[in-house]
Amino acid sequence: MPALVLLGAQWGDEGKGKATDLLGGSVDYVVRYQGGNNAGHTVVVGDQKYALHLLPSGILSPECTPVIGNGVVVDPSVLLSELSGLNERGVDTSKLLISGNAHIITPYNVTVDKVTERFLGKRKIGTTGRGIGPTYADKINRVGIRVQDLYDESILQQKVEAALDVKNQLLTKLYNRRAITADQVVEELLGYAEQIKPYVADTVLVLNQALEEDKVVLFEGGQGTLLDIDHGTYPFVTSSNPTAGGACTGSGVGPTKISRVIGILKAYTTRVGAGPFPTELFDEDGEALRRIGGERGVTTGRDRRCGWFDAVIARYATRVNGLTDFFLTKLDVLTGWEEIPVCVAYEIDGKRVEELPYSQTDFHHAKPIYETLPGWSEDITKAKSFSDLPKNAQNYVKALEEMSGAPISAIGVGPGRDETIEINSFL
Ligand code: GDP
Ligand code: IMO
Ligand code: MG
């Protein structure tokens, strides 16, 4: 059981942080492979609540080595403040490893993210404003700054100047903003260099050697399948690959090493930011899901859009990720509804469609076709095994499993580590 991937099966915020933390005590490495501090992963340990943005959730398990892989984009100021925040709470962060090939979110990337969104106006994506898209754009345009560049001042200066050449034209001529000077950026970045240095490592080598020694490596995805730049609801997506393949490119571990891909799946659906969302609710049920589920963004504090479970999306996540298991979260939030609608297919231009349409236009027109399942009213937060759940909750889980195409191997009945029903062991 060498390498496992744990990723979001919907539009993010499925409970990846909790699921990762749950396994964190039993694995040797937890690796973030894409995204950056656009993520907000909540981990509840006893009476302590942690909100992790850039750091892998494994950082809270003392035995585990947390790794920021080459596919991640790193904002050094966020990194250092997240580390010091954890240190102040008594968490040892000294084992952290950061790939020297990871790209740096520079201050100008953050500026470009914000001004681009403003410029788009009504057509904006609703990004987290953390500079994620512009940093990945620089990476692909081959004008990115990598962590290793912090340790060669003249290279850093040249690269920042090259990156700013075009951006300053845009900022001053198109967006009416002041130009950013390279010296100022270089000085700021060099100010972080020494503090970050102890963590920088050849993470590709470390992870592959660990796998050769039969150590267990867990990949923790940021965002979710439908936010994937290739497989998500483009252009309303993030700028990286949260899907399973991203774990390989974002870490330098080959696909033959991965034996299990676990999709984290909320018992209903949420989304933050703009873009299509067929089962979105604009009524009291939507309000109730938001309130009971505490559906407010961990990173930006925005209210999450809420809707019923969408089996078409779950099936799609199974397919594009090759999921072997699901971890169903937040089942407890559905307690109290007499009936629970579940979207089983879409109606698009008068036709029933069973699978996610590849055409963006069709997806924008998709109307959910619901089947209604009977609800339950009993408190399920203390349930420890599947048989502890009321019959209707069991049937809801079984129905979701059948529609989604992979076994549900764990069920979350509360935010805490122990509020989990394990059906099949992940390790
Ligand atoms: P992530 O980004 O996928 O890690 O998810 P977030 O942390 O953004 O959002 C998930 C929220 O649901 C957090 O507040 C978690 O503490 C909470 N949570 C996770 N699993 C469960 C569960 O099974 N039940 C309940 N009630 N809350 C959960
Ligand atoms: P976790 O890991 C939910 C969304 C943003 C926006 C789009 C693009 O906590 O599940 P970006 O800043 O990435 O360029 O924004 O992606 N988004 C998330 N939504 N959870 C997240 O992370 C997200 N990270 C980005 O709201 O719609
Ligand atoms: Mg989140």
Side-chain angles (χ1 to χ4, degrees), residues 6-8 12-20 39-44 49-52 57 220-223 264 266 268 270 292-299 304 327-333 381 411-416 419-420:
L6 189 157
L7 52 81
D13 304 324
E14 299 90 348
K16 298 176 292 292
K18 174 191 156 162
T20 304
H41 295 183
T42 317
V43 178
V44 178
K49 186 170 172 176
Y50 300 90
L52 301 164
S57 301
E220 175 186 10
Q223 294 76 52
I264 313 303
K266 214 180 266 192
Y268 50 98
T270 63
I292 302 166
E295 297 297 352
R296 183 176 283 265
V298 181
T299 299
R304 293 175 181 154
F327 188 139
L328 186 72
T329 60
K330 303 191 95 161
L331 186 65
D332 54 301
V333 174
T381 56
I411 302 168
V413 290
E419 289 170 310
T420 307

Side-chain angles (χ1 to χ4, degrees), residues 8 11-17 32 34-42 52-53 113 117 124-134 136 220-224 227 235-240 270-275 297-300 302 304-305:
W11 276 287
D13 304 324
E14 299 90 348
K16 298 176 292 292
R32 278 283 308 270
Q34 48 66 238
N37 58 304
N38 47 349
H41 295 183
T42 317
L52 301 164
H53 298 282
D113 192 1
E117 282 281 278
K124 71 177 180 188
I125 306 294
T127 72
T128 59
R130 302 298 192 263
I132 306 296
Y136 279 112
E220 175 186 10
Q223 294 76 52
L227 286 173
F236 301 100
V237 293
T238 192
S239 299
S240 66
T270 63
R271 170 162 208 174
V272 196
V298 181
T299 299
T300 57
R302 289 178 288 179
R304 293 175 181 154
R305 302 157 64 191

Side-chain angles (χ1 to χ4, degrees), residues 10-11 233 268-282 289-290 304-310 313 346 363-364 366 368 370:
Q10 294 147 324
W11 276 287
T233 47
Y268 50 98
T269 316
T270 63
R271 170 162 208 174
V272 196
F277 178 1
T279 63
E280 182 169 15
L281 294 167
F282 301 94
L289 286 173
R290 192 172 303 119
R304 293 175 181 154
R305 302 157 64 191
C306 295
W308 298 123
F309 184 82
D310 185 335
I313 280 175
Y346 300 140
F363 193 56
H364 276 268
Y370 287 116

Side-chain angles (χ1 to χ4, degrees), residues 81 149 186 198 203 229 237 295 302 344 408:
S81 75
D149 298 329
V186 169
T203 53
I229 187 82
V237 293
E295 297 297 352
R302 289 178 288 179
V344 294
I408 292 175

Side-chain angles (χ1 to χ4, degrees), residues 89-280:
R89 295 175 70 178
V91 178
D92 176 13
T93 56
S94 59
K95 286 169 99 175
L96 175 69
L97 300 177
I98 303 174
S99 165
N101 286 350
H103 279 247
I104 289 198
I105 302 178
T106 61
Y108 51 81
N109 292 137
V110 177
T111 303
V112 171
D113 192 1
K114 290 181 178 155
V115 295
T116 313
E117 282 281 278
R118 214 166 299 148
F119 192 74
L120 282 170
K122 274 203 308 215
R123 290 168 298 138
K124 71 177 180 188
I125 306 294
T127 72
T128 59
R130 302 298 192 263
I132 306 296
T135 305
Y136 279 112
D138 278 3
K139 173 176 175 175
I140 300 298
N141 279 332
R142 294 164 293 194
V143 291
I145 311 295
R146 294 189 291 175
V147 169
Q148 58 180 285
D149 298 329
L150 298 180
Y151 307 102
D152 186 329
E153 195 173 332
S154 84
I155 286 276
L156 181 66
Q157 182 80 31
Q158 284 173 39
K159 288 189 173 179
V160 170
E161 278 172 12
L164 276 174
D165 263 358
V166 178
K167 278 183 198 75
N168 274 334
Q169 299 288 327
L170 275 176
L171 284 173
T172 54
K173 295 192 177 140
L174 184 66
Y175 297 125
N176 243 338
R177 305 274 296 209
R178 251 185 307 212
I180 297 171
T181 66
D183 288 355
Q184 188 189 319
V185 173
V186 169
E187 193 188 325
E188 180 178 336
L189 293 180
L190 287 176
Y192 303 124
E194 284 313 303
Q195 294 174 76
I196 293 175
K197 203 169 185 178
Y199 306 112
V200 181
D202 183 349
T203 53
V204 176
L205 188 64
V206 170
L207 291 173
N208 281 286
Q209 282 178 340
L211 286 165
E212 267 165 38
E213 290 163 17
D214 259 346
K215 297 273 191 324
V216 183
V217 176
L218 176 67
F219 292 99
E220 175 186 10
Q223 294 76 52
T225 300
L226 275 300
L227 286 173
D228 186 279
I229 187 82
D230 284 278
H231 301 292
T233 47
Y234 190 91
F236 301 100
V237 293
T238 192
S239 299
S240 66
N241 288 116
T243 48
C248 296
T249 48
S251 71
V253 167
T256 50
K257 301 286 191 319
I258 292 168
S259 52
R260 210 132 170 205
V261 185
I262 305 158
I264 313 303
L265 187 68
K266 214 180 266 192
Y268 50 98
T269 316
T270 63
R271 170 162 208 174
V272 196
F277 178 1
T279 63
E280 182 169 15

